[in-house]
Amino acid sequence: MRNSSRGAVDPFIVMDVMEAARQAEDAGRHVIHMEVGQPGTPAPALARSALQSAMSADALGYTVALGLPALRQRIARLYGDWYNVDLDPARVVVTPGSSGGFILAFTALFDAGDRIALGAPGYPSYRQIMKSLDLLPLEVQTRAEARFQMEPSDLEGLDYQGMMVASPANPTGTMLGREALGALIGAAQERGAAFLSDEIYHGIEYEHKAVSALQISDDVCVINSFSKYFSMTGWRVGWLVLPPGNVRQVERLAQNLFICAPHAAQVAALAAMDAGDELEANMDVYRENRRLMIDGLPKAGFDRIAPPDGAFYVYADVSHLTDDSRAFARAILDEAGVAVTPGLDFDPLRGGGTLRFSYARATADIAEGLDRLQRFMRERGHID
Ligand SMILES: Cc1ncc(COP(=O)(O)O)c(C=O)c1O
């Protein structure tokens, strides 16, 4: 059978790393997982028990395309609680993960051939989804001094119909402050480009609260998810917040593309939003893991790092150690039994010299992983 050219997207390298780690585990090796961008914790207990009750009381058929009204209302309330933003629930659309949200938003907002500015390094699926929809990702090489976030000066002279940011970002964990985010929103709006803000790591922040694009403008598309802070990756539920004028178009697309986000997951997600204590206990783990990483990575010779503002990643410059991060990550897996992600996933141009370390798992694993990394680097003669 023939294949489309727009469907010929690159593989998600971290998935290949996960597969290599799984094979090593099948062969009896113990692997520390610093590659995966997902919490080791399950969905909150409240979420799981809400679903148990719903399963005995309800057929859990399709929901309306925009999502359970109670969930949309509860999400709107979150904006009041977290950001002091008064949000109309009618602007909230529940999606099959933020990944489903990207497909809906990109399809609703852009035409084939439109150009969307986004920073590199960045989450790889943005550009792959865009490519599969015949959109053109316009990757801007961000500066380390700007903590790998786009700046308006990067965009001067460029032609684009959309701009997309993530704060906290994957793979760097850096955030855009109110002023920097406002400047980017202003630059996009000045030229009539749609502004999209991936806020999936909100809630997982350390020194300062993350700023939502909705605190700055109503004329933005915010994408969020239950995957990270709410610890529900496999449940596949996320949301969009849209300007009122864009909701109906997204609704029509959602009806046709997905019908709805999984009903069971929506029930669980609604309950998860009241699981504050459990979610904050997860945050205590991330906080301690972050402390261990900031202390332990430099001791292991990975000293070109910046403390992340949020999320659960550290992005390390290893260009003095290798120009082939894929081979280097493979050696770390084979020799040290630690799975890490090569930067090429996030930055095809410069990622040969970077690695991403995830610290989303249990603290004991992080401590063991750091010990193993230190041993590996000592054996290679990179540290004393
Ligand atoms: C920045 C970012 N956005 C979106 C996603 C996709 O998340 P989901 O589809 O599970 O909501 C991820 C997953 O790692 C991510 O890192």
Side-chain angles (χ1 to χ4, degrees), residues 14 18 20 26-28 39 43 49 95 119 156 160 163 170 172 199 235 260 264 267 272 290-291 307 346 364:
V14 69
M18 283 164 78
D26 275 359
S49 66
T95 58
E156 274 164 23
Y160 55 93
M163 187 194 298
N170 177 8
T172 57
E199 302 187 353
W235 296 73
C260 64
V267 170
R290 175 179 181 266
R291 194 190 64 74
F346 312 101

Side-chain angles (χ1 to χ4, degrees), residues 37 97-99 102 123 126 170 198 200-201 225 227-228 236 313:
S98 68
S99 303
F102 297 142
Y123 179 59
Y126 300 146
N170 177 8
D198 181 349
I200 186 171
Y201 291 104
S225 174
S227 289
K228 310 292 173 164
R236 311 311 304 136
Y313 308 113

Side-chain angles (χ1 to χ4, degrees), residues 5-196:
S5 56
R6 69 177 176 183
V9 301
D10 298 332
F12 198 170
I13 298 172
V14 69
M15 296 292 180
D16 293 346
V17 176
M18 283 164 78
E19 176 53 20
R22 193 196 58 76
Q23 284 173 11
E25 282 169 332
D26 275 359
R29 294 203 60 203
H30 181 261
V31 175
I32 297 288
H33 291 275
M34 289 189 167
E35 84 284 30
V36 277
Q38 70 172 340
T41 44
L46 269 180
R48 285 174 280 139
S49 66
L51 178 57
Q52 259 165 358
S53 314
M55 282 198 302
S56 39
D58 192 327
L60 296 176
Y62 297 136
T63 68
V64 287
L66 293 178
L68 289 174
L71 180 56
R72 297 172 68 206
Q73 272 159 22
R74 184 65 186 83
I75 291 169
R77 214 174 91 208
L78 184 81
Y79 285 84
D81 297 345
W82 279 10
Y83 314 106
N84 208 16
V85 165
D86 184 15
L87 179 65
D88 181 355
R91 293 175 55 195
V92 177
V93 181
V94 180
T95 58
S98 68
S99 303
F102 297 142
I103 296 171
L104 284 169
F106 296 167
T107 314
L109 300 174
F110 303 114
D111 286 309
D114 278 354
R115 297 152 68 89
I116 300 143
L118 68 174
Y123 179 59
S125 302
Y126 300 146
R127 59 177 192 276
Q128 311 300 356
I129 298 172
M130 287 172 193
K131 181 174 185 299
S132 71
L133 294 173
D134 273 335
L135 304 171
L136 298 175
L138 194 62
E139 283 192 279
V140 171
Q141 296 294 310
T142 58
R143 299 183 311 132
E145 299 75 31
R147 306 199 67 224
F148 297 111
Q149 293 279 3
M150 277 190 298
E151 304 159 280
S153 54
D154 294 331
L155 298 153
E156 274 164 23
L158 297 181
D159 177 31
Y160 55 93
Q161 288 71 44
M163 187 194 298
M164 174 144 188
V165 302
S167 166
N170 177 8
T172 57
T174 62
M175 297 197 311
L176 286 160
R178 186 183 264 268
E179 208 177 304
L181 182 59
L184 289 170
I185 293 175
Q189 289 179 346
E190 219 165 83
R191 60 187 331 275
F195 188 87
L196 297 94

